[in-house]
Amino acid sequence: MKAKWFGISGLLAVVLLMMTPEWVSAQSDYYRGEGGRRGVVQVTNDWRDEVNITMWTQDRERIGEYWTLGSGETAFLEYRNARIKVRPNYKIKVGEDWGWVNLGDVGEFQNGVWYVNVRDIWRATHRNGGHRDRPDVNRYDQPDYLRP
């Protein structure tokens, strides 16, 4: 009985040791520190015009110049001929106006890929209707036609 128990536990230990390096390396691609899931980014221009996309790291370091996508075009973002790997707290922006938004707020992460649409980025960076100096439309003392 003891020999059978040692044989089974020894086999389990070997299997566990063999799986550990693969599990650790798979985890490191997705969960490095507090940065969250890491993967390549695919942008779809579901907009009517050509757009420029810019990205920054969580440390506000700009990644390259910009990427240009034509209307209806879908592309993986590359820098120096390699697909970039990004985290949810990387910043993404459409065009030259307005601010940026966290990729995790507008993108969807599946199987190591961040999927994001231009319209979602634009909506997130233009939440106040595209008017920075517009009165706060969420205030209840505003007329109904000015409320969202």
Side-chain angles (χ1 to χ4, degrees), residues 23-34:
W23 180 77
V24 169
S25 68
Q27 290 297 314
S28 66
D29 278 346
Y30 300 113
Y31 302 100
R32 285 203 180 139
E34 297 178 14

Side-chain angles (χ1 to χ4, degrees), residues 36-106:
R37 297 168 288 193
R38 183 172 175 257
V40 297
V41 61
Q42 179 181 313
V43 179
T44 299
N45 182 1
D46 54 349
W47 201 250
R48 64 185 167 266
D49 300 318
E50 181 178 272
V51 295
N52 291 333
I53 306 290
T54 49
M55 286 202 79
W56 292 262
T57 66
Q58 70 267 11
D59 299 323
R60 306 218 195 287
E61 178 185 341
R62 189 167 176 163
I63 302 171
E65 284 287 320
Y66 58 86
W67 295 270
T68 301
L69 294 176
S71 180
E73 187 178 353
T74 297
F76 285 96
L77 301 185
E78 295 183 354
Y79 181 65
R80 296 184 179 165
N81 297 320
R83 290 182 180 175
I84 61 171
K85 288 191 176 179
V86 298
R87 301 180 191 283
N89 56 353
Y90 277 32
K91 312 299 182 205
I92 191 165
K93 177 179 176 177
V94 173
E96 297 301 318
D97 299 334
W98 298 93
W100 53 36
V101 65
N102 285 337
L103 179 66
D105 293 340
V106 293

